[in-house]
Amino acid sequence: MKFLILLPYYNRPTLVRRALQSVQESTHKDWELAIVDDGSEVPIGSIVEEMFTKEELAKTRIVYTGDSKDAKIQQGGSRMGEYFNTIIKESNADAVMFLCDDDALVATYMERAQEFFETHPQVQYAYSHVIPYDPQAEHYKDCDHKKHWWLNNQTGAINPYSALDASQIIWRKDDDVKLPSPHTEGHDAVVWKQLYDKHGHCWFMDCKGQYKGIHKHPYRDWE
């Protein structure tokens, strides 16, 4: 099963390295990474080229919106959704997920997700546990998880109005999901609402999916 990972990036050059490293460390290697850089002062390309191997670069696609802050204001938001929609359409992946630039994948996440979807062929989209981490830590794995609560600590079906984080959804690519452009609302929440309206409650995978960056202060303090 091939996974398409959508990574929106904007001016988080330190934190995005953790996200990229987590993709590298995934036990499941059949992935495609699509990054949309939304006019960052520190472009993502140089970071990816520094970190990734030739094989990993071959599975990575980078798109630049080229939009300044003024342009985003004039057009009513970011055009990331426009680029992600094209990427999703052109990809030959089986399933799609988001990875925010301040989050990180659990190494076994895609492996467990494949097992879940193969066992539940009727399921169109699913959800996982989220482990919060403090961006002040040197590495997301250094977080003492015993002192932190788990987001999405559910045991049954949930919906997009449960006040839970939405970035851990994985959905089958054959669904006709469209991200808005321009947009101001989170892409993950928009996708979740579309899937919920079409398929009902989201199924829950009993596995750890992502490390979620919880910011006590604005993220720029940690860059």
Side-chain angles (χ1 to χ4, degrees):
M1 190 171 186
K2 184 176 182 178
F3 292 91
L4 171 61
I5 306 167
L6 307 179
L7 198 164
Y9 169 73
Y10 181 70
N11 279 347
R12 285 174 167 169
T14 301
L15 295 180
V16 76
R17 289 176 177 272
R18 300 174 178 181
L20 296 172
Q21 180 184 352
S22 72
V23 175
Q24 292 178 294
E25 295 176 348
S26 294
T27 57
H28 186 88
K29 299 302 181 182
D30 195 2
W31 52 262
E32 175 186 358
L33 177 62
I35 306 172
V36 176
D37 185 327
D38 199 18
S40 298
E41 297 172 6
V42 181
I44 190 66
S46 59
I47 299 173
V48 176
E49 290 178 2
E50 174 191 334
M51 294 183 61
F52 275 18
T53 65
K54 290 183 179 180
E55 291 75 16
E56 292 164 345
L57 287 172
K59 299 191 291 184
T60 302
R61 178 176 178 179
I62 301 176
V63 177
Y64 297 90
T65 67
D67 290 340
S68 64
K69 292 181 180 179
D70 290 340
K72 294 173 193 175
I73 293 173
Q74 292 176 2
Q75 65 199 18
S78 169
R79 294 186 299 147
M80 277 189 170
E82 172 187 338
Y83 294 99
F84 278 135
N85 286 335
T86 299
I87 290 168
I88 294 171
K89 182 179 180 180
E90 295 176 351
S91 172
N92 64 353
D94 301 295
V96 189
M97 73 175 79
F98 283 108
L99 174 61
C100 295
D101 56 7
D102 61 340
D103 297 340
L105 296 177
V106 172
T108 57
Y109 184 30
M110 286 185 278
E111 184 178 342
R112 294 291 302 276
Q114 174 171 296
E115 294 173 358
F116 180 86
F117 279 111
E118 289 178 345
T119 306
H120 302 83
Q122 79 280 17
V123 174
Q124 287 298 111
Y125 74 125
Y127 208 72
S128 66
H129 291 297
V130 182
I131 307 172
Y133 82 93
D134 186 346
Q136 294 182 74
E138 292 185 7
H139 193 281
Y140 57 89
K141 295 178 182 177
D142 294 336
C143 177
D144 183 357
H145 302 303
K146 294 180 180 178
K147 297 180 180 179
H148 293 264
W149 44 278
W150 279 17
L151 294 173
N152 311 341
N153 192 13
Q154 305 294 306
T155 57
I158 57 178
N159 63 64
Y161 308 101
S162 301
L164 299 175
D165 188 82
S167 60
Q168 281 64 47
I169 294 171
I170 298 182
W171 70 95
R172 295 186 187 272
K173 182 181 171 291
D174 57 4
D175 250 305
D176 187 23
V177 172
K178 299 294 183 184
L179 280 65
S181 182
H183 87 102
T184 54
E185 186 178 5
H187 283 135
D188 50 359
V190 173
V191 168
W192 194 2
K193 290 176 182 177
Q194 289 182 50
L195 291 167
Y196 176 74
D197 290 341
K198 185 175 181 180
H199 301 291
H201 289 288
C202 182
W203 284 61
F204 202 89
M205 296 183 290
D206 189 14
C207 68
K208 302 172 185 177
Q210 296 189 20
Y211 296 92
K212 179 69 178 176
I214 303 297
H215 301 273
K216 297 180 181 178
H217 303 285
Y219 69 81
R220 61 179 177 272
D221 290 348
W222 314 127
E223 291 300 286

